[in-house]
Amino acid sequence: NAGVTQTPKFRVLKTGQSMTLLCAQDMNHEYMYWYRQDPGMGLRLIHYSVGEGTTAKGEVPDGYNVSRLKKQNFLLGLESAAPSQTSVYFCASSSLAGGGEQYFGPGTRLTVT
Amino acid sequence: GQSLEQPSEVTAVEGAIVQINCTYQTSGFYGLSWYQQHDGGAPTFLSYNALDGLEETGRFSSFLSRSDSYGYLLLQELQMKDSASYFCAGQGGANNLFFGTGTRLTVIP
């Protein structure tokens, strides 16, 4: 039981490049989330999904797209990376009866130059 | 949306008790969660309050007052390993969480 895993762990992009971050969970959770965390700030919700085939916008969705083709996977895409997207990205999942409890992956540290 | 405020830093002595406060302004609030995050690590869940009152889990307790839009996390018998950042988070629909900016706790000998 690996919980929530994320790939890659680190990535450096040049402005304008694209990439996809992969999140996988093996807990059969319905809900999945993508957050970004910047220094001195809490986590901010980018997009989330309440089930396979569904996605919704969070607080800071601009510049990102997501897909949830399989229940266990949640992909975050950056179509044209900008320096403002330099951040640590966390994926999380929770059950339907989550009660405020989310399980987080180890994070992806992304730098855009 | 939701807005949550908590102190940026707290320092406490090993073995002591520390309280981290969180005030919130929100619409669509279901409950208040607390998370711990060590430097370079991922947030880990500590506790959750859906109803007013105190929830206790070992050395950690959390309190919520909906009428005051206020909650706190209480850490007892502090240990050096408790040095970390602590986040309060308001729960919205779809179990979405809106995080505060975090309180950095430093435990000193």
Side-chain angles (χ1 to χ4, degrees):
Chain A
N1 189 343
V4 180
T5 58
Q6 294 181 231
T7 54
K9 289 185 170 55
F10 303 93
R11 186 73 185 266
V12 178
L13 288 179
K14 294 185 185 301
T15 298
Q17 288 184 322
S18 63
M19 77 164 295
T20 300
L21 283 67
L22 173 63
C23 175
Q25 54 96 2
D26 61 3
M27 296 173 283
N28 201 34
H29 284 165
E30 289 294 331
Y31 298 155
M32 295 188 74
Y33 314 85
W34 276 107
Y35 295 90
R36 62 177 289 174
Q37 185 175 32
D38 301 304
M41 300 185 71
L43 288 83
R44 291 183 292 168
L45 183 65
I46 304 171
H47 285 282
Y48 65 98
S49 168
V50 299
E52 183 178 319
T54 74
T55 62
K57 294 180 180 179
E59 298 175 72
V60 288
D62 294 343
Y64 306 95
N65 56 76
V66 288
S67 64
R68 182 111 180 258
L69 299 179
K70 294 182 178 181
K71 185 177 183 179
Q72 64 268 33
N73 295 337
F74 196 27
L75 278 64
L76 177 71
L78 287 73
E79 291 184 344
S80 179
S84 61
Q85 294 178 304
T86 294
S87 189
V88 180
Y89 293 85
F90 287 100
C91 175
S93 70
S94 74
S95 64
L96 285 174
E101 181 174 9
Q102 294 184 4
Y103 295 80
F104 283 80
T108 295
R109 186 173 296 276
L110 174 66
T111 301
V112 183
T113 62
Chain B
Q2 300 192 16
S3 172
L4 297 97
E5 292 189 6
Q6 48 183 131
S8 58
E9 294 181 347
V10 172
T11 300
V13 179
E14 188 177 16
I17 299 173
V18 69
Q19 178 174 314
I20 299 174
N21 298 322
C22 175
T23 58
Y24 62 88
Q25 293 181 335
T26 182
S27 58
F29 176 84
Y30 288 80
L32 192 68
S33 296
W34 288 91
Y35 284 78
Q36 179 191 61
Q37 186 179 30
H38 287 97
D39 286 346
T44 57
F45 173 80
L46 292 176
S47 72
Y48 173 71
N49 294 71
L51 304 174
D52 285 3
L54 192 68
E55 293 283 341
E56 297 180 74
T57 308
R59 295 189 296 115
F60 297 84
S61 302
S62 58
F63 173 83
L64 176 64
S65 169
R66 285 175 174 270
S67 59
D68 295 323
S69 297
Y70 164 75
Y72 66 72
L73 178 70
L74 193 72
L75 296 83
Q76 303 181 70
E77 300 174 14
L78 280 173
Q79 302 175 8
M80 299 301 291
K81 67 178 182 180
D82 295 330
S83 291
S85 293
Y86 293 83
F87 295 88
C88 60
Q91 181 198 7
N95 204 25
N96 285 349
L97 294 178
F98 297 86
F99 284 81
T101 53
T103 298
R104 188 172 187 88
L105 170 64
T106 302
V107 180
I108 58 176

